Amino acid sequence: MTVKEKSKPRGRPRAFDREAALDRAQALFHAQGYEGVGVAALAEAMGVNPPSLYAAFGSKAQLFEEVLDRYARAALPVDALLHDGAPPAAALAALLREAAYIYTEDPHAPGCLVLEGARGADPDAALRARVWREASAARVRAFVATTHPASADVVADYIVSIMSGLSADARAGHVRARLVAVAEMAALAIEAMLGRVE
């Protein structure tokens, strides 16, 4: 008597939910940093094997870039705050306050994924994050330039520096109230730079 081997079930494999996989990868990158998480851990969290991860995203660095892209477009409501006609000092103060709230919202993912990624030790990953950091600075610069062209560069640099500090403080465990206090103090400096009457 011969025993037939069980055949594998036919049909297409279970569908790969790219957005859910990216959510899980983002959570890991945000919590542990680019260098702190390996491909095996990413694949396990995303519900795929390493070869499938490479097939879907190309490499760990390309996966990180896609995660950064999603995060940078959704993390802060930049366009809603820095819209045409918004008073610059008030809008930028609101951006800093919002950053203080968002950077402390999730204790497992404090700070800004882009700003922390730009400080990373891996040169390729850090470069990918710096592209988004520079895009944010350019967005602030363009917003300020519409009303205060002579101040646009220094104000954009100042905003990025303050946001970078807020992110680092959130990663260090500072509570929201401390970050909001720093944002409020920075708002006074922005008001002094741009003037009360706009």
Side-chain angles (χ1 to χ4, degrees), residues 86-88 142-150 194 198:
F143 172 71
V144 175
T146 61
T147 54
H148 298 77
L194 299 181
E198 296 163 344

Side-chain angles (χ1 to χ4, degrees), residues 8-24:
K8 291 184 178 178
R10 293 183 177 229
R12 299 179 71 178
R14 190 174 60 197
F16 172 63
D17 186 339
R18 189 179 188 89
E19 291 304 308
L22 286 167
D23 284 341
R24 294 184 192 114

Side-chain angles (χ1 to χ4, degrees), residues 56-117:
F57 298 100
S59 68
K60 178 185 168 185
Q62 288 172 295
L63 169 61
F64 185 57
E65 185 167 25
E66 191 164 339
V67 165
L68 286 172
D69 179 76
R70 291 170 82 242
Y71 176 85
R73 294 179 192 280
L76 275 171
V78 176
D79 290 332
L81 294 170
L82 307 187
H83 61 84
D84 288 344
L92 293 170
L95 179 66
L96 292 178
R97 280 192 295 273
E98 192 69 20
Y101 275 86
I102 289 171
Y103 295 171
T104 54
E105 191 170 28
D106 183 351
H108 302 293
C112 173
L113 180 62
V114 168
L115 293 171
E116 297 308 313

